Amino acid sequence: MSESPNLTGQGRVASVLRFATELIAWIATPWALAGHSVVLAVFSVVALIGLPTVFATPGDKKQVLVAVPGWGTIALVVLQLVAAVVAAWVVWPVWLAVPVSVLAVLTVLMELPRWRWLWRAGGLVIQ
């Protein structure tokens, strides 16, 4: 199987946009949940940071702790994007939520080559 665009220069812009969106999700999601439950807010941070750290598709990251098929990695990225956008609209003013939404759309567009690669890597091969 070929190397993921994530590990090449082709994926650099996508990686930067994805990381920016992840940071927003890590900040805005617990902020949005803290008023309902501090435990839920803490759990959201643990899940948003921990899941992609532990689960990855072989060939998409240099180190994989627990291998998942490509669609699993795509799902984790979508989770981060949705969390960032929804939480931004819940806790931040419109003038800040709109750029977060635009960033998420740009991230999806830039992620498409990686997602195509990940989709082809859907039939998980344990190495």
Side-chain angles (χ1 to χ4, degrees), residues 104-121:
V105 170
L106 289 174
T107 301
V108 168
L109 293 174
M110 296 306 294
E111 281 280 284
L112 288 176
R114 176 179 179 232
W115 288 4
R116 283 187 202 99
W117 183 91
L118 285 164
W119 194 257
R120 287 192 302 271

Side-chain angles (χ1 to χ4, degrees), residues 1-26:
M1 182 179 298
S2 66
E3 189 173 60
S4 166
N6 194 44
L7 296 176
T8 67
Q10 176 187 0
R12 191 165 316 259
V13 172
S15 293
V16 169
L17 294 176
R18 185 175 63 249
F19 184 66
T21 309
E22 289 171 347
L23 282 175
I24 292 167
W26 301 344

Side-chain angles (χ1 to χ4, degrees), residues 4 13 24 31 39 52 60 62 74 81 92 97-99 111 121:
S4 166
V13 172
I24 292 167
W31 189 347
V39 172
D60 188 51
K62 291 181 182 179
I74 294 169
L81 293 169
W92 293 338
V98 168
E111 281 280 284

Side-chain angles (χ1 to χ4, degrees), residues 1-74:
M1 182 179 298
S2 66
E3 189 173 60
S4 166
N6 194 44
L7 296 176
T8 67
Q10 176 187 0
R12 191 165 316 259
V13 172
S15 293
V16 169
L17 294 176
R18 185 175 63 249
F19 184 66
T21 309
E22 289 171 347
L23 282 175
I24 292 167
W26 301 344
I27 294 165
T29 304
W31 189 347
L33 294 172
H36 302 287
S37 166
V38 173
V39 172
L40 195 55
V42 171
F43 175 76
S44 73
V45 174
V46 171
L48 289 170
I49 294 173
L51 290 175
T53 301
V54 174
F55 300 100
T57 303
D60 188 51
K61 277 182 147 180
K62 291 181 182 179
Q63 282 189 288
V64 175
L65 298 176
V66 177
V68 296
W71 59 263
T73 298
I74 294 169

